[in-house]
Amino acid sequence: MRSLKLDPGPLTLLCLGAHADDIEIGAGGTVLSLLESRPDARVHWVVFSAAGERKAEAEACAQAFLGRAGARDISIHDFRDGFFPADWGRLKETFEALKRKVRPTLILTHHGRDAHQDHRAVSELAWNTFRDHLILEYEIPKYDPDLGNPGLFVPLSEAQARTKIDALMTHFKSQHARRWFAPSTFEALMRLRGMQAASPTGLAEAFYAPKFLLEP
């Protein structure tokens, strides 16, 4: 299996999530891994839909994940859950403002073929706005049968996987009534991807990586 290595220079990471907890579920372990190896990294963490209790949860969990970041910028927006395509103009304006503010080395966002319309909107606007950047698309387990076969894997340590799960369960208490929001769900997906990645710990997160340039 071949490896993709980031440039050794300063890392600016842009994490995009449609809703509170999306980034943590899809790429939380990867964020922890990156910050362990690049503690000087600058992280921009953007959640597009979170209000009230969900906003407070999103802010607290983001702070927990970004404890090792050299610098952090957390933005929580109030777009209406489930209606992103209907609010396309305002979303696009938000992305354009983000482009003027951030020059990311790596972008983590939703998979473009996710069954949730809000997730797809964020992914499409990420590609539409950041056209010359490294973008990796994470996956979200859910009721819809949309899990596919991503081809890029990030092996995780046992500690990183446990920290991810503990943070999700600690900070998103509003989601505990949902049957799928459980440690077993999060671990199961990391175990499956860890098997595919031949991870030494048996744990990994996976991403879709749609576009690369080969330089011989």
Side-chain angles (χ1 to χ4, degrees), residues 74-151:
I74 300 169
S75 299
I76 312 292
H77 297 283
D78 60 354
F79 289 93
R80 189 179 176 189
D81 184 6
F83 287 80
F84 282 22
D87 209 357
W88 192 266
R90 195 162 66 96
L91 273 167
K92 177 60 176 172
E93 290 172 355
T94 302
F95 268 86
E96 288 299 318
L98 191 59
K99 182 172 69 172
R100 293 190 293 270
K101 176 182 178 181
V102 184
R103 295 185 178 274
T105 311
L106 171 63
I107 300 170
L108 304 178
T109 190
H110 290 278
H111 179 37
R113 295 186 178 181
D114 192 297
H116 196 300
Q117 66 272 18
D118 292 354
H119 297 179
R120 293 196 305 273
V122 170
S123 180
E124 184 173 345
L125 282 166
W127 283 99
N128 178 268
T129 306
F130 296 96
R131 300 179 62 83
D132 192 29
H133 296 76
L134 176 58
I135 300 178
L136 301 182
E137 301 177 349
Y138 57 77
E139 57 184 347
I140 301 288
K142 65 176 79 66
Y143 179 78
D144 306 285
D146 63 355
L147 287 180
N149 290 294

